[in-house]
Amino acid sequence: MTAPSHDKVLILDFGSQVTQLIARRLRESGVYCEIAPFNITDEKLVAFAPKAVILSGGPASVTEHASPRAPDKVFTLGVPVLGICYGEQTMCAQLGGKVVGHDHREFGRAEIEITEDCELFKGVWPKGSHEQVWMSHGDRVESLPPGFRVVAVSDGAPFAAVADDKRRFYGVQFHPEVVHTPHGAALLKNFTHKVAGLSGDWSMAAFRAQSVAAIRAQVGKGRVICGLSGGVDSSVAAALLHEALGDQLTCIFVDTGLLRMDEATEVVKLFRGHYNIPLVHRDAGELFLKNLAGVSDPEQKRKIIGSTFIDVFDEEAKKIGGAEFLAQGTLYPDVIESVSFTGGPSVTIKSHHNVGGLPARMKLKLVEPLRELFKDEVRDLGRELGLPNSLVSRHPFPGPGLAIRIPGDITFEKLEILRKADAVYLDEIRRAGLYDEIWQAFAVLLPVRTVGVMGDGRTYDFVCGLRAVTSTDGMTADSYPFAHEFLSRCATRIINEVRGINRVVYDVTSKPPGTIEWE
């Protein structure tokens, strides 16, 4: 499902860690876009019918023979092209310029001088100005292809920005998509709105109406089952599907026993009680605990939870009978991450439970109404659909649940201790008015016990770890800078109210990609 009624931009991915940010910036300005591997076929490129193309950055060197190149078709479509970092270099190399390795590399903040006016800079960077940008390159353009001119320079890049106004081809050696280039978003908007002439009319209201029509066209009079976890993604997917299909939809909520405090009750109350969506609630907590007994390895836990979830889900789906479609809350980052840098498919596409895809034996056709959206856009859609903010703004929760917030073996006692501590921690965050400032906050029950003195007696109880991080994409994160008084208040409440914990610590480390969760 794409957005045929809107102008579209295609972003070709050369492996940059921040390619998704390009798409986010374009979506924020009302422009629909998709990311595709750099080696997209000419047939798919033409079929997508982009009104503009952006070439992303990447880790390779254009000077190497086997390094990736953009399809030559990109430069004959007659649409504007913007090359970013590696994208600028391969565009110049492919069109007749020259790229060389150089000793003067630029990584991090840099300053460029705008030497000439061009449509890309219009109203953002005037000629003669000096602007801060974010650089990340070793190679650099040494000579330009015919028709290009230099429009910006830096100490390490004599071709920091180049322009071919006649063909509407532009290249920048820096990254306008990151926040470290202060006016980068405006630059990208210039490219889409002024250079390419796009209207920027893509909105969540339009997406909602289009999605409802697309779901009805795909499903017809068929029946759909939806795996509902209670998280933001599956909840928004369920609400959208119900608007489109009504009673043709049945949700299956597998309660793993690994959820947060009162979460299962809230899910049933909201979807069965308030929205009157047909809902099957399977309490399988004892089964999950039995299968996890004695298991400490985190990856083994994931596999056990995944296979158990699939078995329970499949069992309940068979009871319903007659379903032809399976709905999942797959998001656009899941779709992108399921394709490798070279464009090959990964072994499995992440399900909304992040525990592995559902088996082929179910023989159901997939319905993925959110597969074009980023996380923040899913939240916007949830608000558009009228879901309560308490659900829409809920912090992300992993599919394996509390199992990966209890390093070591899982027991009912540990789960109850952690649930209570986590509830106290989140309650204090909400009372302080900080919940919406934080991407994710949670408690962890560490696999160590310490001796403590409470009152006149000794205790030998668990240590509770607290984490709170800020993030824009859920891939990298920085610890939230709580005041000491806040942390002291949390620790006091947890120790006083949660039997089994006698010490609380706070994690203040920043997290590289993929390590926001504790394990």
Side-chain angles (χ1 to χ4, degrees), residues 17-18 337 471 473-477 510-517 519:
Q17 293 183 343
V18 292
E337 290 165 9
S471 179
D473 52 18
M475 292 297 292
T476 58
S510 296
K511 299 297 161 190
T515 56
I516 289 180
E517 282 294 341
E519 58 168 334

Side-chain angles (χ1 to χ4, degrees), residues 272-287:
R272 182 186 288 165
H274 181 73
Y275 284 99
N276 198 31
I277 296 177
L279 175 67
V280 174
H281 175 204
R282 170 71 180 275
D283 184 352
E286 290 186 9
L287 177 61

